[in-house]
Amino acid sequence: MLDQGQLSAFETDGYIVIENVVGEATLAAVRTEYEELMDRLYRRWHRDGLLPEPPDGLSFWDKIDRCTANRLDWFQPLDICLPSERITAETPMHFGPAVFDLVTDRNILDIVETLIGPEIMSNPIQHVRIKPPENEVPADETRSHIISTDWHQDRSAIVEEADITTMVTVWIAITDATVENGCLQVASGNYDKLLQHCASGNHLGLASAHTPQNNAVPLPVNAGGVVIFHPLTPHSSLSNRSGAYRWSFDLRYHVTGQPSGRGQFPDFVARSRANPGSELRDWRQWLGSWEAARARLATIPHIPQYRWDSDAPGCA
């Protein structure tokens, strides 16, 4: 739970940084789950002739390095969400027991409950973030989850019906996040409205007129720590100028019964004090809900996920 000082800081600043939230056992389980997933992907691509070097003796990071160098998309198979477009029946995604335990971690939900109340949905806008060193990224790579993330407010990533939804973002460090390896930064000040954003390809960011200039505050945090954001707080990530990867998860939670902002994707009850029996407690059901959504979305026209256009006023 948060103390009064932390609550006041969140109300005033729109964010808080809290160390030592996720336990080492949970972090280790997530790392192991992803190491095994990456190994399966690498072995399949090696077997198919897409990777020349065999996987034996390579670390998790070595395998990602080789995949990046050979232009193989390792990101989507590791992500805990479907992409924004071009969903097919074979689009890869990952929903496993260790990540489910992270999403439903008691310490995280205790913090969220203090901020939004005891009836909590796990929001479907959720991602793994594994950022390579910038000097290892191909020059034509533009995806914001690979390179630095543009300034934005999280409410910009939902449709208008969820503007009334009470929601918070929980950014979880799996490895230490430092200024050098591209930690988050926040715009200091009090932001109480949604600002103009511009969409361009895979990017969604604040219009240039609203981009913070001299009020950016970096938010380093150690592995197991979290950064909590109000949906109107502008934030971005720094570039990863280190020689190592930076790994985090970007999760959202909202009040049960309110729109998620991404209605075509499944949410679930993460905590309910009024009806504990409604809580989802089996990761297989979580996976099944996403598999069903993927099968349905693969057969229908694309559902826009953003309200912004690249040619809107202020986006030239």
Side-chain angles (χ1 to χ4, degrees):
M1 294 292 186
L2 303 180
D3 59 34
Q4 190 55 52
Q6 291 169 317
L7 283 170
S8 297
F10 186 80
E11 289 295 326
T12 301
D13 303 327
Y15 74 94
I16 47 175
V17 179
I18 311 173
E19 297 281 9
N20 302 314
V21 173
V22 179
E24 181 53 41
T26 300
L27 294 175
V30 168
R31 293 177 187 130
T32 297
E33 184 168 288
Y34 269 78
E35 287 167 0
E36 293 172 351
L37 173 58
M38 191 67 230
D39 186 68
R40 291 194 299 271
L41 287 169
Y42 193 102
R43 289 182 183 278
R44 187 183 76 206
W45 287 332
H46 175 64
R47 184 178 63 247
D48 293 343
L50 300 175
L51 290 166
E53 186 174 356
D56 301 312
L58 297 180
S59 71
F60 176 72
W61 303 118
D62 291 335
K63 291 167 188 171
I64 290 184
D65 275 341
R66 305 306 192 273
C67 292
T68 299
N70 286 275
R71 310 307 297 268
L72 295 172
D73 184 15
W74 50 266
F75 174 79
Q76 184 55 47
L78 272 57
D79 202 15
I80 55 172
C81 191
L82 287 167
S84 59
E85 57 186 354
R86 293 189 290 275
I87 296 170
T88 73
E90 289 77 37
T91 297
M93 56 186 179
H94 175 67
F95 297 89
V99 178
F100 181 75
D101 287 346
L102 180 68
V103 173
T104 58
D105 183 85
R106 178 177 178 177
N107 291 340
I108 292 174
L109 293 179
D110 284 348
I111 293 170
V112 172
E113 180 174 348
T114 306
L115 294 171
I116 71 172
E119 305 304 311
I120 303 170
M121 298 294 289
S122 172
N123 189 277
I125 307 174
Q126 52 193 7
H127 297 284
V128 63
R129 304 293 191 191
I130 299 178
K131 288 187 180 291
E134 190 171 88
N135 61 6
E136 296 183 13
V137 177
D140 60 349
E141 176 61 76
T142 61
R143 291 174 294 177
S144 61
H145 50 265
I146 301 295
I147 59 175
S148 59
T149 304
D150 293 338
W151 284 101
H152 65 284
Q153 297 165 295
D154 280 348
R155 187 168 288 174
S156 69
I158 60 177
V159 294
E160 288 92 331
E161 70 170 2
D163 281 349
I164 61 170
T165 297
T166 301
M167 184 184 302
V168 292
T169 297
V170 180
W171 190 95
I172 307 164
I174 305 300
T175 58
D176 292 349
T178 66
V179 171
E180 184 182 23
N181 73 13
C183 69
L184 296 182
Q185 58 181 346
V186 66
S188 63
N190 192 350
Y191 292 83
D192 59 1
K193 65 180 180 180
L194 184 61
L195 303 173
Q196 173 70 45
H197 285 66
C198 301
S200 177
N202 291 310
H203 285 269
L204 178 67
L206 282 171
S208 57
H210 301 299
T211 302
Q213 300 299 321
N214 301 309
N215 60 332
V217 179
L219 303 177
V221 62
N222 294 317
V226 302
V227 182
I228 315 289
F229 286 106
H230 186 278
L232 291 177
T233 302
H235 59 283
S236 66
S237 76
L238 297 167
S239 298
N240 184 353
R241 301 186 182 281
S242 74
Y245 286 79
R246 193 215 72 192
W247 184 1
S248 63
F249 282 86
D250 181 6
L251 308 177
R252 290 174 178 80
Y253 300 88
H254 68 273
V255 172
T256 301
Q258 296 180 350
S260 72
R262 199 69 59 84
Q264 68 270 36
F265 290 165
D267 53 15
F268 69 84
V269 177
R271 173 172 288 180
S272 175
R273 300 296 190 186
N275 182 17
S278 67
E279 296 173 3
L280 186 67
R281 296 176 181 169
D282 187 343
W283 71 271
R284 297 172 187 84
Q285 294 180 25
W286 188 41
L287 169 62
S289 67
W290 279 90
E291 289 176 333
R294 178 177 61 186
R296 176 176 53 83
L297 293 169
T299 65
I300 64 175
H302 169 64
I303 300 174
Q305 297 189 9
Y306 306 121
R307 68 184 82 186
W308 314 100
D309 298 315
S310 59
D311 57 355
C315 292

